[in-house]
């Protein structure tokens, strides 16, 4: 379905981003990977994408907190592949602390990476999509784009903001063949969440498995994690012809978290 299209997934060296890049590649899209991590491990992932799915994959080490690096990454993607058709804004970090203890530099980092980066990528990528009259923009928000949790002021602000960006871009590009949607996952077991489980286990003296169950049951009626691959499958659907008029929407995939 996506043969001949090119997808850039920010923060795709791990977790949800990597699973989404793999799902898009499995559907035929060429891939620009991005994110931090061990150089050899990233090269192994890149080469595996090409071998498994018969597509072209490249990697950009651009730091999503640096607007100039973001602009250069979009330009490099368009140069390398001839176009950027699918943009998945996924890179994200977390910091957990009450507002009075929240360090200013952590606030700035979360807002830069989880929110402003999506402005910068879309700002740079949308002119090419408009010219070609086709584009799919998928913003990985969160249940925290719809509801709050204590101790996550920057993350919740950024994720609510990304849903705002999603709606504005959807409205502005409605007649340019471009859709823009958000995906709002609940708990997905990735390194980002594992850190929170480990911190809870340490603070409470619980076993890692008990800390996992406590974390899940606090928010989700369904006591199981969403698989990163399921986020990838939803992203592929949002790129399909069947989703051509879905725009400005926020898709919950959260085990019932925001149904309550
Ligand atoms: P993860 O920690 O496994 O992956 C994060 C990715 O972002 C990595 O590839 C990392 O290298 C990259 N990254 C971090 N800072 C970066 C920077 N400055 N520049 C470039 N890349 C950077 O996390 P994940 O759980 O897969 O999260 C991915 C997205 O999904 C995030 O936006 C997160 O908020 C969102 N999300 C996750 C969950 C969950 O339960 N895991 C739930 C809802 C939303």
């Amino acid at each position: 379905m996506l043969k001949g299209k090119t997808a850039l997934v920010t923060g795709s060296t791990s977790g949800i981003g990597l699973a989404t890049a793999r799902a898009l590649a499995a559907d035929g899209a060429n891939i620009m990977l991005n994110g931090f991590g061990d150089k050899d491990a990233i090269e192994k992932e890149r080469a595996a994408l090409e071998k498994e799915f018969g597509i072209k994959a490249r990697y950009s080490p651009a730091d999503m907190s640096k607007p100039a690096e973001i602009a250069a990454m979009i330009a490099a993607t368009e140069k390398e592949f001839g176009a950027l058709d699918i943009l998945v804004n996924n890179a994200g970090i977390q910091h957990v602390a009450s507002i009075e203890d929240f360090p200013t530099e952590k606030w700035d980092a979360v807002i830069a990476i989880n929110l402003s980066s999506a402005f910068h990528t879309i700002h740079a990528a949308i002119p090419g999509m408009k010219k070609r009259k086709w584009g799919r923009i998928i913003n990985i928000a969160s249940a925290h784009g719809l509801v709050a949790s204590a101790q996550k002021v920057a993350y919740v602000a950024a994720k609510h903001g990304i849903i705002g960006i999603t709606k504005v871009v959807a409205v502005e590009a409605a007649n340019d063949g471009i859709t823009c949607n958000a995906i709002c996952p609940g708990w997905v077991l990735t390194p980002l969440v594992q850190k929170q489980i480990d911190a809870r286990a340490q603070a409470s003296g619980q076993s890692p498995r008990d800390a996992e169950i406590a974390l899940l049951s606090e928010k989700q009626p369904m006591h199981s994690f969403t698989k990163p691959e399921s986020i990838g499958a939803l992203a592929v659907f949002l790129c399909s012809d069947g989703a051509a008029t879905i725009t400005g929407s926020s898709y919950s995939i959260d085990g019932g978290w925001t149904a309550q």
Side-chain angles (χ1 to χ4, degrees):
M1 184 180 83
L2 298 177
K3 207 168 165 42
K5 303 285 191 208
T6 294
L8 163 64
V9 185
T10 71
S12 46
T13 53
S14 170
I16 292 171
L18 180 56
T20 300
R22 289 183 59 79
L24 293 167
D27 216 68
N30 293 320
I31 301 292
M32 180 62 100
L33 291 168
N34 161 258
F36 299 150
D38 175 70
K39 237 178 160 188
D40 292 343
I42 294 169
E43 174 50 24
K44 219 168 134 193
E45 268 321 325
R46 190 203 64 75
L49 283 174
E50 291 195 333
K51 191 156 175 243
E52 266 179 69
F53 304 118
I55 53 98
K56 198 164 136 183
R58 293 289 177 268
Y59 163 68
S60 163
D63 183 337
M64 290 304 101
S65 67
K66 308 228 163 87
E69 291 190 23
I70 294 172
M73 174 180 68
I74 303 287
T77 307
E78 290 181 330
K79 189 159 179 242
E80 178 72 32
F81 295 99
L84 170 51
D85 307 293
I86 299 163
L87 169 64
V88 182
N89 287 305
N90 166 79
I93 58 168
Q94 176 64 282
H95 186 78
V96 180
S98 58
I99 192 160
E100 64 270 33
D101 296 328
F102 214 92
T104 300
E105 62 275 15
K106 291 288 183 194
W107 166 270
D108 288 342
V110 173
I111 296 298
I113 296 164
N114 295 21
L115 178 61
S116 300
S117 70
F119 163 75
H120 296 298
T121 55
I122 297 169
H123 174 76
I126 211 161
M129 291 178 176
K130 281 191 174 172
K131 207 158 66 193
R132 290 183 297 276
K133 289 272 166 209
W134 199 92
R136 293 287 179 269
I137 300 169
I138 298 167
N139 297 321
I140 307 299
S142 167
H144 286 120
L146 303 168
V147 295
S149 287
Q151 309 266 315
K152 294 187 176 176
V153 65
Y155 190 86
V156 170
K159 295 300 186 181
H160 275 68
I162 209 142
I163 288 180
I165 292 181
T166 302
K167 291 176 182 173
V168 172
V169 173
V171 169
E172 287 189 7
N175 294 301
D176 292 306
I178 300 167
T179 68
C180 182
N181 292 289
I183 295 178
C184 300
W187 291 122
V188 185
L189 192 52
T190 67
L192 181 138
V193 168
Q194 190 61 53
K195 277 184 216 152
Q196 295 173 60
I197 294 168
D198 295 345
R200 285 177 81 112
Q202 207 179 11
S204 65
Q206 285 171 305
S207 72
R209 180 57 192 150
D210 285 347
E212 213 172 89
I213 292 167
L215 176 106
L216 281 169
S217 55
E218 217 171 64
K219 297 287 177 184
Q220 286 193 190
M222 199 181 281
H223 294 171
S224 41
F225 289 101
T226 296
K227 291 193 176 74
E229 292 74 17
S230 303
I231 314 285
L234 181 50
V236 168
F237 167 68
L238 289 171
C239 293
S240 70
D241 289 343
T245 60
I246 298 177
T247 197
S249 293
S250 300
Y251 273 77
S252 289
I253 175 165
D254 67 1
W257 181 327
T258 53
Q260 301 168 92

